[in-house]
């Protein structure tokens, strides 16, 4: 068996068996290296060499977590939640409750989409916005699997379709650049046109989740929720205004310097200077915030080590070559197999951004040889990279929603986030990505 396939399969089986994702990634990486014929020492060395690739992301999440806790201290999110809860309390008929559900869904979707382009803070908003709303969601009997699907849609679709913010990085700086580097001039192509059908597939998955899969209610333990979620968060007009000022400051610094770390630190320091966070509380608050997103950071670090072992095995190219041998001259089968291989690689690595450089070098020459148009190649490589971001145990697009929805221990990462997002997004994306490659 191909070592990459085996490693990803082992990692996924362990994760589905409720083994912690970090442990599953480490065991999967070591197993893949050994299956590929690498020595244990060489496998461990490759894994260690890859760990640094996730360090910057991990530190960014840690500082953003601290900033999010400081915003929570200001009471901003709780003020919004109290307003929503007051509205819920006045709803008596089923139609009004349904309206409140859609209002919350629309709010979370808008914030998630904005976090990728207008105000590129990615998943840092989730621990800030979602936990205070969990009580409201529980009162409305909202299924958290639906919320996970909504958040994941907002975290993925904008970057794979809109060339703004994180989308500008994914589409222009990575996708187009790597396709250009491998022999196809994609600089003048309309990337939005190339990715429109795949994005439509994501939208179809969202609509299915909202109107069919999870439209029913789900009960949660209100006592456990109250203990876990409703922390001391008194607020006043001054603390709310300072929270807004700190958020704007963090955004401006981040956009100016291009650093999420410095942006979050600037916002946190402003909270200290304004007195919203007392100096004697600052150390404990910063530590609490770092712990809040520490799990995501460690998983991203472990995923970088996993990815490095997969690259060192040399069997990613073998996997693609074996697919080519099966394909022959069949373009339809070629497109399908390339997308499936992209899904497999991204689910193992956990990052679309890290997958593109790997598959572009392999797919672009193959697609040219089979006669795909430049626009179809952009759609094919872009979709193959995005496939697996939803539904990967190691992806921040699934880890982020879990971090916000599982504060009371009632939302399982694998079964309540990973599996629902895999079914609702990867399958439609696979079909619509294949269609785009065939018609463009």
């Amino acid at each position: 068996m191909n070592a990459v396939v085996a490693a990803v399969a082992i990692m996924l089986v362990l994760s589905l068996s409720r083994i912690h994702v970090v442990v599953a990634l480490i065991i999967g990486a070591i197993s893949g290296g050994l299956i590929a014929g690498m020595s244990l020492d060489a496998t461990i060395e490759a894994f260690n060499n890859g760990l640094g690739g996730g360090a910057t992301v991990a530190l960014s999440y840690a500082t953003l977590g601290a900033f999010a806790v400081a915003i929570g201290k200001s009471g901003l999110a709780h003020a919004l939640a109290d307003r929503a809860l007051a509205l819920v309390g006045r709803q008596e008929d089923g139609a009004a409750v349904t309206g409140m559900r859609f209002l919350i869904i629309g709010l979370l979707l808008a914030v998630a989409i904005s976090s990728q382009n207008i105000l590129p803070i990615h998943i840092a908003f989730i621990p800030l916005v979602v936990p205070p709303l969990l009580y409201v969601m529980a009162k409305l009997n909202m299924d958290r699997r639906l919320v996970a699907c909504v958040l994941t849609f907002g975290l993925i679709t904008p970057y794979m379709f809109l060339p703004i913010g994180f989308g500008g990085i994914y589409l222009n700086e990575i996708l187009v650049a790597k396709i250009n580097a491998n022999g196809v001039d994609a600089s003048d192509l309309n990337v939005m046109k190339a990715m429109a059908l795949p994005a439509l597939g994501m939208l179809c998955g969202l609509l299915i989740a909202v109107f069919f899969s999870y439209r029913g209610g789900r009960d949660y333990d209100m006592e456990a929720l109250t203990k876990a979620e409703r922390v001391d968060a008194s607020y006043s007009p001054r603390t709310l205004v300072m929270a807004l000022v700190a958020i704007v400051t963090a955004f401006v610094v981040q956009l100016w310097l291009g650093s999420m770390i410095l942006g979050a630190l600037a916002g946190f320091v402003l909270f200290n200077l304004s007195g919203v966070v007392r100096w004697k509380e600052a150390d404990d608050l910063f530590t609490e915030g770092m712990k809040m997103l520490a799990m995501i950071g460690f998983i991203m670090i472990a995923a970088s080590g996993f990815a490095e072992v997969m690259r060192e095995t040399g069997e990613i190219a073998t996997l693609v070559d074996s697919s080519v041998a099966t394909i022959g001259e069949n373009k339809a089968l070629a497109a399908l197999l390339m997308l499936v291989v992209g899904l497999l690689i991204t689910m193992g690595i956990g990052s679309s951004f890290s997958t593109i450089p790997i598959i572009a070098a392999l797919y672009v020459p193959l697609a040219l040889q089979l006669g795909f148009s430049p626009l179809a190649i952009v759609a094919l490589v872009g979709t193959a990279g995005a496939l697996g971001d939803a539904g990967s145990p190691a992806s921040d697009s699934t880890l982020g929603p879990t971090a916000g929805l599982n504060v009371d221990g009632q939302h399982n990462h694998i079964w309540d986030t990973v599996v629902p997002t895999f079914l609702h997004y990867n399958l439609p994306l696979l079909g619509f990505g294949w269609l785009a490659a065939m018609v463009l």
Side-chain angles (χ1 to χ4, degrees), residues 86-101:
L87 291 174
V88 171
R90 293 199 293 266
Q91 311 304 323
E92 297 180 358
D93 58 89
V97 170
T98 300
M100 278 300 302
R101 287 185 180 182

Side-chain angles (χ1 to χ4, degrees), residues 163 171-172 175-176 179-180 184-195 372-379 440:
L171 295 173
N172 296 327
L175 177 59
V176 172
I179 289 177
N180 287 340
V184 174
D185 186 5
S187 301
D188 297 327
L189 296 179
N190 186 338
V191 290
M192 291 183 67
K193 180 180 179 181
M195 299 301 293
F372 286 98
S373 69
L375 203 61
I377 293 175
V378 173
L440 291 176

Side-chain angles (χ1 to χ4, degrees), residues 38 57 63-64 166 201 207 221 225 234 251 260 347 383:
M38 298 171 62
V57 176
T63 53
L64 287 169
F166 285 106
L207 295 177
D221 184 345
L225 175 59
S234 60
F251 292 154
M260 289 191 293
M347 285 197 68
T383 305

Side-chain angles (χ1 to χ4, degrees), residues 20-99:
H20 195 278
V21 178
V22 171
V23 177
L25 283 165
I26 295 172
I27 295 175
I30 294 175
S31 300
L34 295 177
I35 292 171
M38 298 171 62
S39 67
L40 180 60
D41 289 341
T43 301
I44 294 175
E45 182 180 359
F47 186 84
N48 290 338
N49 290 338
L51 296 180
T56 301
V57 176
L59 183 57
S60 297
Y61 287 157
T63 53
L64 287 169
F67 182 46
V69 169
I71 296 175
K73 182 72 174 178
S74 74
L76 179 61
H78 283 76
L80 295 174
D82 288 342
R83 177 61 178 166
L85 191 57
L87 291 174
V88 171
R90 293 199 293 266
Q91 311 304 323
E92 297 180 358
D93 58 89
V97 170
T98 300

